[in-house]
Every structure is written in structure tokens, then in C-alpha cells.
Amino acid sequence: MHTVALAVTDGMLHFELSLAHEVFGTRPDGVAGPWYRLMLCGPGAVRIGRFLLEPDHGLDRLRHADTVIVPGWADVDVDPPADLVDAVREAHEAGARVASLCTGAFVLAAAGLLDGRRATTHWAHTRDLAARHPRVEVDPDVLYVDEGNVLTSAGKAAAMDLCLHLVRLDHGSSTANTAARRLVVPPHRDGGQAQFVTTPVPAPDNHPLAELFPWVIERLDRPLTVEDLARRARMSSRNLNRHFRSVTGTTPLQWLLTQRIRHAQELLETTDDGVDTIAAATGMGTATTLRRHFNRTVGVPPDTYRRTFRSRTRPAPGGGGTDSAAHGPDDGGTDSAAHGPDDGGTDPAAHRSGGHGTDPAAHGPAGSSSNR
């Protein structure tokens, strides 16, 4: 059973702590199999806001956990306790996955875990984090950052996004969606999977794209262009791009590609459909195109993803639906975050002939050989 340890000490924020405790401490109804073993580790009875908390174990037990979570640190102008910093560093050195929620990033930075890595924290403190820890690449615009065995979230509600992301990594999208429904929160407000930049699907709100998002989600099997989206939103393509940047932090086509990949993940987990069928259902056109974009985005080919997560949701099918051609030269587990500064917000259609803002996954066979 996967052990999650919450590192607690005086001066932490109770919101993020209780949120993580709720996600990892309670198995959602309808989820079969083991969940998580949750430990609270601290130096003794600690004061969390107006609450007095009695941990299960000392901080030395962090190094025995599979995942260590550091909740928000209340006063970022005060250095975190040395015993907490040392225990978090030792847990990471022992092989633990370490995640911070909100201003817990200051603890990870003090431990040296963020040096040379991308990281985020509450938007109000990103400048402080960058100034005090110049070796950290602070990204103020994302809900969370996944750097493999070190993860950081932005402030407050973004901690839920990161916790659900961890559930998704460990148990698959369907289980994460089940957990989100129990918690009455959106399952995909994030957008940052293991290997790509956050491209959130905001909940309906008072912004110019509120009606456009559900319209697109219902039409993922269709070819869509920037002009189609702009026409539906009743604005120019330039204004659409500007609003997308403001609301989601990315371009319309990169956001659309992410939603297609999301849908493909759900279908791989919950249906017997073959890769060709899923490619058509997600608007990718061909299995080749789906494999290329899926592998670049998720970091594994579709068949590997299905084998990993299918058994967590329903019995694996007897035969069809496997991907036998996903390991070509440009499909080998490439991390889409590793291609330089113009990735993550770059329109994947920008290098197509003419560069007119068409959806790279929407053109079927004619577009299946396009590369970034």
C-alpha cells in the first residue's frame, strides 16, 4: 500500500493540511482495491492555526514514506524549522516523492529540492520565492508543476488540483474523477499531467469563454480551428487568443489538444475500443496521430497507459485495443516539457504548412505526419 506522509509543524496552514488529509485519508465509494496509508508526522503536538494537532509519528518517519506532502507555510518571512527541512530532504534522498502545497514550496526550496527545477507557489509569494531562492525557476502562471519526484502547487484551491493529480498518477483518471465527484470539485481544473504544462478547464464563470468551453468539449470528435472557436465565441481570432491566454494560460489549439488527450485517456481506461476508434472519437483522425500526441503529452504510448490504468477501473479486454506501433523514433517517451522555452504555450500547429491556426489533431490522414 502506498504510504503518504503529511509533514506538520507549528506555523502551517490548516486549509491545505485538511485538504490533503481528506483526499488521501478517505477512499472514495466505488473505488476498489487499496487506497493510501496516511501518516501525520511532526515533532510532537503542533499548533495549526487555532487547532492543536497530535501527529502519529515523528518527523524521522518521513523517510519511510512513498510520498511526502508539505502543507502551506503560514509566514514565509520566517525560515522553516531546521528539523522539518532536514527531514524533508532526507525523505527525498531516501526515494520519496515530495510535494508542497501553496507556500510549502518555501520548505522544499530551503531543503534544496527545487534548485534547478520549475516550481510554483501562491501567486502573492512567487516573487519572494524567486528572490530568496534564485536557483529555482519560479512559474507564477500555473496551478501546479510536476517535476517527477518533486511537485509544487499554487495557492489554496490549487492544492486540491495537485492532490487529484497525484491520485491520477497513482490510480488513473477515472479514479481521480470519482474522488473529485465525492469532493464536489472539478476533476480537470489543472491541465498539468505528468509531462505537460498546465492548461486548465475553468469552471463556468463570468468570463468571455465560459460558454465556449463546454461547447468544445461536446465536439472533440470534430475538426475544429481557431476560426471555428472564434466564430462560436463571437470575437476575432486575435481576441480569442488573448482571452485564452488570460483564462487558461495557453493557446486555443494547445488547450484543445489537451482536451482530446484527456478524452483519449478516459476511453482507454473505460472502453474496449481500439486505438483507431479512439482516434476518431477524439478528433485525432488516425491512430498514428493519436499515438504521437499521446506519447508526447502523457509520456507513455496508449497501450502502456491502458495496461497501467485499465485494471483499476474494469477488467482488461481479452484482445483488441492494444497499441503495437507506439515506439517509433519520435515516440520514445519524450517529455513535452523538455523542448525549450517555446513549449507549453506553443501552438502545435504553428509549423504546419501555412501556419493558419488549424487543429493539428483534426485533419485525419492528411495531418497525421505533422510534427512540431
Side-chain angles (χ1 to χ4, degrees):
M1 181 178 291
H2 189 107
T3 300
V4 173
L6 300 184
V8 297
T9 190
D10 289 332
M12 289 197 159
L13 299 172
H14 56 78
F15 176 80
E16 291 80 3
L17 172 62
S18 59
L19 183 153
H21 192 282
E22 181 68 18
V23 172
F24 299 106
T26 305
R27 184 176 67 184
D29 292 340
V31 173
W35 190 236
Y36 295 96
R37 176 173 179 262
L38 183 65
M39 302 190 303
L40 269 66
C41 300
V46 297
R47 177 69 64 177
I48 306 292
R50 298 183 64 181
F51 304 97
L52 188 65
L53 184 68
E54 295 184 357
D56 306 313
H57 307 281
L59 288 172
D60 60 314
R61 288 295 296 274
L62 292 181
R63 64 176 177 267
H64 299 292
D66 299 300
T67 296
V68 172
I69 295 180
V70 181
W73 182 245
D75 190 350
V76 298
D77 293 324
V78 176
D79 290 336
D83 57 348
L84 172 65
V85 172
D86 291 343
V88 169
R89 184 189 303 113
E90 290 172 6
H92 180 259
E93 291 173 351
R97 179 176 64 182
V98 179
S100 66
L101 308 179
C102 192
T103 48
F106 284 81
V107 177
L108 270 60
L113 304 190
L114 302 183
D115 289 352
R117 301 179 189 267
R118 258 178 87 238
T120 194
T121 188
H122 193 292
W123 61 265
H125 302 293
T126 52
R127 290 185 179 180
D128 291 337
L129 182 63
R132 291 167 57 181
H133 300 279
R135 296 185 63 187
V136 180
E137 183 186 342
V138 180
D139 189 339
D141 299 323
V142 295
L143 291 177
Y144 63 82
V145 174
D146 182 338
E147 286 279 313
N149 62 353
V150 177
L151 305 92
T152 53
S153 87
K156 300 302 178 183
M160 177 64 79
D161 296 308
L162 178 53
C163 287
L164 288 175
H165 174 64
L166 292 172
V167 172
R168 192 175 301 116
L169 290 175
D170 297 335
H171 295 278
S173 290
S174 292
T175 297
N177 290 348
T178 299
R181 283 193 293 272
R182 184 182 69 83
L183 295 164
V184 197
V185 296
H188 293 310
R189 197 173 71 94
D190 57 308
Q193 277 287 355
Q195 280 88 27
F196 61 92
V197 177
T198 44
T199 50
V201 183
D205 202 347
N206 186 26
H207 60 75
L209 305 180
E211 296 181 2
L212 179 64
F213 290 130
W215 182 86
V216 173
I217 295 300
E218 293 173 359
R219 293 162 175 80
L220 291 177
D221 60 331
R222 305 181 188 180
L224 294 171
T225 66
V226 170
E227 289 73 19
D228 293 331
L229 272 58
R231 189 179 305 111
R232 178 68 186 183
R234 298 182 181 86
M235 62 181 68
S236 68
S237 297
R238 176 174 294 182
N239 279 339
L240 181 77
N241 275 281
R242 179 170 58 83
H243 285 301
F244 254 91
R245 284 287 189 186
S246 174
V247 174
T248 73
T250 190
T251 65
L253 293 184
Q254 187 62 50
W255 178 86
L256 179 58
L257 177 60
T258 298
Q259 306 318 308
R260 296 190 191 281
I261 296 297
R262 293 270 192 217
H263 190 33
Q265 288 175 295
E266 292 281 354
L267 294 176
L268 286 165
E269 293 178 27
T270 60
T271 74
D272 298 335
D273 295 343
V275 175
D276 288 293
T277 301
I278 293 175
T282 56
M284 292 288 189
T286 69
T288 301
T289 301
L290 172 59
R291 290 180 179 118
R292 180 185 304 115
H293 288 293
F294 193 97
N295 201 22
R296 286 178 173 174
T297 300
V298 181
V300 295
D303 67 327
T304 301
Y305 184 88
R306 172 171 266 165
R307 285 196 302 270
T308 301
F309 294 120
R310 183 58 177 272
S311 61
R312 302 182 189 275
T313 55
R314 56 179 292 186
T322 59
D323 177 7
S324 60
H327 298 282
D330 61 351
D331 286 349
T334 302
D335 180 349
S336 66
H339 295 284
D342 60 346
D343 263 318
T346 301
D347 182 349
H351 301 291
R352 293 179 58 83
S353 176
H356 295 301
T358 53
D359 178 359
H363 298 276
S368 62
S369 62
S370 173
N371 289 307
R372 281 208 232 183

